[in-house]
Amino acid sequence: MRRAVCPGSFDPVTNGHLDIVGRASRLFDEVIVGVLINQAKTGLFAEDERIEMLREVTKGYDNVRVLSFRGLLVDFCRANDAPVVVKGLRAVSDFDYELQMAQMNIGLAGVETLFMPTNPLYSFLSSSLVKEVAKWGGDVSAHVPDVVAARLAERLAS
């Protein structure tokens, strides 16, 4: 079975993330969306909320699972028998950082990285930008799934 991991914090998941997950799901028998839990950071959404939203928006994919992890991505990949990481690249600046991570991952555990260029529709999109726009009352509904837009509005209403 060809299995891959699409990792990220997904705080919140965007249409750009879903584009990469959907494309990866056509290339691999199984895709695990790995939700990184970084205890040093406080996200807008708690771990269980991010997982719940991701499960909701990926339920149309029979071969996608959503799991969370702490620690090294390569350890998560090994534990889930996934020899490949799939990462979306928006710009050259993403590549510089992601290449270093990919080289470390192959050196540590032989985990390969597949870089997927982001659909031009989402080349500017990031979770941070979505949160910032939503925080100031901007309409992010074109950039995130409906369930995420609703959760953002609810969370940032105060």
Side-chain angles (χ1 to χ4, degrees):
M1 174 179 281
R2 295 173 308 150
R3 183 177 291 132
V5 171
C6 287
S9 60
F10 305 103
D11 187 36
V13 61
T14 69
N15 291 339
H17 292 129
L18 291 178
D19 177 60
I20 297 297
V21 169
R23 289 162 58 199
S25 76
R26 293 190 300 270
L27 298 173
F28 294 91
D29 298 320
E30 183 177 35
V31 174
I32 301 168
V33 177
V35 181
L36 172 64
I37 307 304
N38 184 345
Q39 294 168 323
K41 288 185 178 180
T42 302
L44 180 62
F45 293 102
E47 172 183 351
D48 60 330
E49 292 174 298
R50 288 184 273 157
I51 290 169
E52 181 183 327
M53 284 188 284
L54 276 160
R55 286 184 176 152
E56 174 68 22
V57 300
T58 60
K59 69 183 177 189
Y61 299 105
D62 293 336
N63 63 336
V64 173
R65 287 191 294 149
V66 179
L67 302 171
S68 65
F69 73 99
R70 289 169 174 73
L72 294 176
L73 174 58
V74 293
D75 291 338
F76 179 71
C77 288
R78 274 192 286 219
N80 287 282
D81 193 29
V84 178
V85 170
V86 177
K87 298 289 292 199
L89 294 178
R90 294 171 295 190
V92 171
S93 55
D94 286 349
F95 180 76
D96 290 338
Y97 173 75
E98 294 297 346
L99 179 61
Q100 291 176 15
M101 297 301 295
Q103 290 171 331
M104 182 62 78
N105 290 343
I106 195 138
L108 286 172
V111 173
E112 295 285 358
T113 301
L114 171 65
F115 294 125
M116 238 182 226
T118 301
N119 181 321
L121 293 172
Y122 310 119
S123 63
F124 65 91
L125 194 54
S126 70
S127 294
S128 299
L129 183 58
V130 164
K131 286 186 287 194
E132 187 67 19
V133 170
K135 177 176 127 181
W136 295 107
D139 181 9
V140 296
S141 61
H143 308 298
V144 296
D146 291 343
V147 66
V148 175
R151 289 273 187 102
L152 277 166
E154 179 184 300
R155 178 63 43 91
L156 298 172
S158 52

